[in-house]
Amino acid sequence: MKPLLEVLVVSFKLGCTSFGGPTAHLGYFHNEYVKRRRWMDERSYADLVALAQFLPGPASSQVGIGIGILRAGWLGGVAAWIGFTMPSVILLILFALLMQGFDIGNSGWIHGLKIVAVAIVAQAVLSMGQKLAPDRNRATLAILAATITLLWQSAISQILILLAAGGIGYLLYRQAQGTEASATVSVPIGRRAGMLCLGLFLGMLIGLPIIRQLVGGEGLLSLFESFYRSGSLVFGGGHVVLPLLEREVVPTGWMSKADFLAGYGATQAVPGPLFTIAAYLGAMISGVKGALVATVAIFLPAFLLMAGALPFWSILRHNAKVQGALVGINAAVVGILLAALYNPLWITAVQEPQDFVLALLLFGMLVYWKLPPWLVVLAGLAGGWLLGYI
């Protein structure tokens, strides 16, 4: 029970302090799970991030779920998900029920949190780059991945970049993995259970629309089906799910476009994954019960896919040829993080010289002064509030 409680407490802390979107979340996770607690080594973490990038759904949440499963089994994955999403779910339900239409999108403290995200991701890029792209070939792969990611903005580009990087890594490093192999990680899920999860994911994706058509109506079953399908078909991060959700809730008459956009603004103001906008939308449609149904539905595909993939990931990642491919993929992940540091984080947060000064100060607090992330978050809040008066 101790590991399970530990997973819940640590993930809840991250859920309260992880601002800035999925890329920033991966930076927070890296600092907490890899550097501070040493629950896994650098390469295992990067391998898990690469796996999550291949799967549809919220990548940062899937990484958290995967770490929870590796640490404390099935219930550990559930605890990691609950801890990481609960703070933002509660806040967004309150937004929906009590503060509809309240615009805080341009508040100074929100701007400060965006700058915090810049510093967190910059630290993650620096740390992961030193470990995963230390030579000319891998640094070149990272630069190419960053370049293509920035110049080709689409949901499928990231998948193709990782596939190409895996092929290059296979060609260059398949015979040279004796000293590069990751530490052994025990996965408490068998292959049969993994196949069951993957089958359940596909069965629900195909079966739920059929059941919805047969049953009819616009009740909780329809709500569950809409959000499950949206969570199943998203590649490229949380922002990609927004147009899918808008098509599900606005044309159907569940809510107005203005209400939807208000929820998007509220989601930007809270920590945790962007997928928790489902809590706001569900609450707007059907109260607290609707919020819980929509939240479970949109995250369930991510849980099933990660649980289904982990047993095979554990086997393949220790194969010399697969390890070579993962070397290339890990270098590309560094490049993708570097691209995300620029767009959307840098271009939306660092707009004035004083913004850069605050980002530099927060980066120094993380990298050189070794201050805890929660203290850096508080400093970013205060700094953003002060910048609002300059």
Side-chain angles (χ1 to χ4, degrees), residues 342-358:
Y342 175 74
N343 183 16
L345 294 177
W346 187 279
I347 62 176
T348 58
V350 183
Q351 300 169 350
E352 303 289 343
Q354 55 265 33
D355 296 335
F356 178 75
V357 170
L358 178 58

Side-chain angles (χ1 to χ4, degrees), residues 18-21 23-25 27-28 110-126 337-352 355-364 366-367 376-377 380:
S18 295
F19 292 88
T23 307
H25 299 163
Y28 285 105
I110 295 293
H111 185 62
L113 291 175
K114 293 178 181 178
I115 297 177
V116 169
V118 171
I120 290 285
V121 175
Q123 180 204 30
V125 169
L126 177 64
L337 289 175
L338 179 61
L341 173 62
Y342 175 74
N343 183 16
L345 294 177
W346 187 279
I347 62 176
T348 58
V350 183
Q351 300 169 350
E352 303 289 343
D355 296 335
F356 178 75
V357 170
L358 178 58
L360 190 61
L361 176 63
L362 298 175
F363 181 78
L366 282 168
V367 176
V376 177
V377 169

Side-chain angles (χ1 to χ4, degrees), residues 58 61 85 88-93 95-96 223 227 230-231 234 237-246 249-250 255 257-285 290-292 294-296 298-299:
S61 296
T85 58
S88 53
V89 165
I90 293 172
L91 289 172
L92 287 170
I93 290 174
F95 269 115
L223 185 68
F227 281 78
S230 298
V234 174
H239 289 281
V240 183
V241 81
L242 295 174
L244 292 178
L245 289 176
E246 184 178 10
V249 302
V250 176
M255 70 179 57
K257 187 169 185 178
D259 286 338
F260 180 86
L261 293 176
Y264 175 68
T267 308
Q268 299 294 330
V270 299
L274 190 58
F275 268 50
T276 53
I277 192 176
Y280 168 86
L281 299 177
M284 292 289 290
I285 295 168
L292 297 178
T295 302
V296 170
I298 202 169
F299 281 100

Side-chain angles (χ1 to χ4, degrees), residues 184-196:
T184 299
V185 176
S186 175
V187 178
I189 299 175
R191 294 164 110 185
R192 184 174 298 178
M195 289 297 296
L196 181 62

Side-chain angles (χ1 to χ4, degrees), residues 121-144:
V121 175
Q123 180 204 30
V125 169
L126 177 64
S127 177
M128 295 180 71
Q130 290 172 340
K131 297 279 175 44
L132 303 175
D135 54 54
R136 184 174 63 183
N137 288 338
R138 282 179 280 184
T140 301
L141 268 177
I143 292 170
L144 287 174

Side-chain angles (χ1 to χ4, degrees), residues 95-173:
F95 269 115
L97 299 179
L98 304 174
M99 300 194 293
Q100 296 180 30
F102 184 63
D103 182 16
I104 61 171
N106 295 317
S107 299
W109 61 275
I110 295 293
H111 185 62
L113 291 175
K114 293 178 181 178
I115 297 177
V116 169
V118 171
I120 290 285
V121 175
Q123 180 204 30
V125 169
L126 177 64
S127 177
M128 295 180 71
Q130 290 172 340
K131 297 279 175 44
L132 303 175
D135 54 54
R136 184 174 63 183
N137 288 338
R138 282 179 280 184
T140 301
L141 268 177
I143 292 170
L144 287 174
T147 300
I148 296 170
T149 300
L150 288 170
L151 297 180
W152 183 20
Q153 301 275 339
S154 75
I156 197 174
S157 63
Q158 193 171 100
I159 305 299
L160 295 179
I161 288 168
L162 293 175
L163 286 172
I168 294 171
Y170 170 81
L171 293 174
L172 294 179
Y173 294 102

